[in-house]
Amino acid sequence: MSAGVALVLVLATGARAQEPTVSSIDEAGWQGVLGVRAAVSTAQRYVVLLEQPSLAERVRVAGGRASEAEMRAWTASAVAQQEQFLARLSAAGARIGAEYRYARVINGFSARLDPTSFALLERDREVEGVYPVRIAYPAQADDSEGVLPSSVADLEIPGLDGTGVTVALLDTGVDPSHPYLRRSVLSGVDVINPGSGGIAQPHPTIPGRPERHGTELAGIVTGSDGPDGLHGIAPGASILPVRVAGWQPNSEGGYTVYSRTDQILAGLEAAVDPNDDGDAHDAARIALIGVVEPYASFPDGPLARAVSGAAELDTLTIVPAGNDGRAGPGYGSIAGPGGAASAVTVAAADGRLAAPTVRVHVRAGLRVLFEDTVPLGGAPSDTVTADVVLVNRATARNGITGLFSTDGVSSVAGRAVLLPRGVLSDDTVEETTSAGALAVLVDGPLPAGAFSLDVPAGVPVVGLADGLVREIRTLVAAGIPVTVAIGGVDIAEREGGGSVASFSSRGLALYGGVKPDVAAPGVSVPTSEPGRGDEGEIRFGTVSGTSAAAAVTAGVAAILAEGRPNISAVGLHGLLVGSAQRSDLDLTASGAGLVDLRGAVQLEVFADPAVLSFGTTTGGSSDIERIVRVRNVSTRRLVISIGNASLAPKGVEITVDPERVRLRPGASAEVVVRADTFNLSGAAGIATGELVLRAGDSPEAHVPWAVAVPAAVDLISRVTIVPTDKRVSDATPAVLALVLGAVTATPDPQVRAVDRLEVQLWRGTSLIGLLARRRELLPGRYTFGLTGRGPSGDRLRAVRYVVRVVAWPGDGTRRQAETVEYRVR
């Protein structure tokens, strides 16, 4: 019997990180709009990384240079090795049908794995590791406030528009017929349904629901010839659509727009080799990933390695930080692949100094239920008075057809529709207004600007407090009419203008990596919308989210790449981070600060790495040492001084050796940076600062750094073994249940994940063997099935054993273990 039957069940229930509690109205409102994620199963899907080198690794060993013939030969070699490996595993009894194959940025494949195949792979000498597939969601929400092109002001350079630079957009499909994109969209790649060319696809069952996100991000990057002079950041650049996300089945029998780890990896393969010939000389200069895996900022998994591999092939990857809001004080809420060191991870800045509000009056007969001013979450509106009608979740999910009777009469025409919280989307708001609703009310608070400019003018969208909504529902259900009156728009000054958006995920990344790298405009960014309006009009809207901020940054990177064509992907990363303007922004929220295109073009030096992570410590330890390479990218000799500017040092002292280097054009030098943490408090928190590189009259370059002291938590808890029958067997296994990781109970929670888990079988003081190994586990409850078989697959004798569960946190802190008695009958 194969060793795989020793554990027949591997299930993560609630394996996503627990959502941190948010307290402010604005943040709660954004979370309601941005945080609704349909349940999707990834059961038994894994990514298998092999020990053999990928194309990127071969290029790195060759010093970064390779001919077309060499690249094709190396890619073909990796594919051939995979074929031999899979054939050998098949002969050993494994049933592996590879769904996606990777040979360029990483070497491996993805597949559904039964327990037998999983166990064989984990123990195979040619396997580096087996990693879980996660779900990735668009890091965006549509937004309604009318915003002029100046919302992304100061991101232009005369004479530079990104011409000659290709940006691979890994997202949903794109609408290439949109006039705003007609000049820039290339024929693309569809990872989900090969053959579509990366075109946005309609909802499989609900008419009028296209994939929006890719078209919106493409417009931010390369849109041109829009209304009132509207254009994208880099209108001369080209977009290569790589459809890694789209309408796919969810766990509720419907469809949701999402992507998966294995699909994003396939997208990066396409980005570096668009014509699939094994040669990466045609790689896109920039890869923009618009989807994120919530909280999964693992620094060394398949996605992080793929981003690093893309950089070796000279493609810079730009990713959103995520939309999960505040966290801390150690590890925050950064989404994957935002933890990748080689990725430019982007937070969303909110530069609005004012926001629209409306006066809302709710009454039942003569009884006034509510009267106050609230933020306007939808399009600019006229004065509206209408009776409230309830729409349930099932109706909202059925689309616009669910709002009409069989004889074609709208159930919401002339009414104010109250939508349930769990179905909020731009589509549901648009469909209710298209069915004739005069206003849209939302269960819970909304920030100003939460839905698209596509919402018809004059139809307000506002959020109401939970208690008020419950009262309205009770009255309407009892047959008592409730009327809402919504006044005209007023403009209120907004506190915190120029800050990081409340929904934007905060750092640090898991295991103490400095993330995000930079921040960029990410609220109310104007762009294109797919399809046409009811009268055939071209559609435009505004969009908010860290994916919008990442798209802005991708446009900036495209212009920078045009202006400095000889700079590598690593150099582009260093220039974007080094030139960012901090102002008063916190490092864990914004990284180096706001992107500064003009500064990036003028910068003469950069550092590699662009951000400096000293990792974690428990305080009172010795020096932590890192190497930074400083490079002169000017046309003149430079004398560069390297100093330190502490932001929140908390007792950490930074020294640099040498403090001054002389570099000719194109040359580089290594600098040793030491962090003395002896005086650092052992209390959970983060010490931050930045290195400052000065070269005469040249603009300064900045390198953010951080040292983290993680909170002490139990990585393993609630370990139990519960039999399902008197006799443990393959058909009636005992269930090992446990909680892994933690979300600390602080005002600003931090996520603690498990990097590696082992389930060991012991008898007395003797280790019998390993029952299971898992990697990259977010906080949640996990269960394993124990079948009464040992690590070799043989039946165990009917005696008492001990199951020892060992968790490695991956951040240098101590491993943790728990034991539980396991009796085989």
Side-chain angles (χ1 to χ4, degrees), residues 35-48:
V36 177
R37 298 162 180 152
V40 179
S41 173
T42 59
Q44 296 186 314
R45 273 198 168 95
Y46 297 92
V47 173
V48 181

Side-chain angles (χ1 to χ4, degrees), residues 188-206:
V189 178
D190 192 332
V191 167
I192 300 173
N193 298 308
S196 82
I199 296 175
Q201 299 298 303
H203 192 288
T205 61
I206 301 176

Side-chain angles (χ1 to χ4, degrees), residues 96 104 109 328 344 440 477 495 685 754 759 782:
I96 302 174
R104 296 155 183 83
F109 59 88
V344 179
V440 178
E495 296 182 3
V754 172
V759 180
Y782 294 80

Side-chain angles (χ1 to χ4, degrees), residues 49 195 247 359 361 375 591 627 643 680 686 703:
L49 296 186
W247 294 113
R359 191 74 177 176
H361 179 98
I627 302 294
L680 178 64
I686 307 170
V703 184

Side-chain angles (χ1 to χ4, degrees), residues 172-195:
T172 69
V174 173
D175 179 3
S177 67
H178 199 296
Y180 197 55
L181 302 173
R182 194 171 289 159
R183 297 196 314 183
S184 62
V185 177
L186 306 173
S187 178
V189 178
D190 192 332
V191 167
I192 300 173
N193 298 308

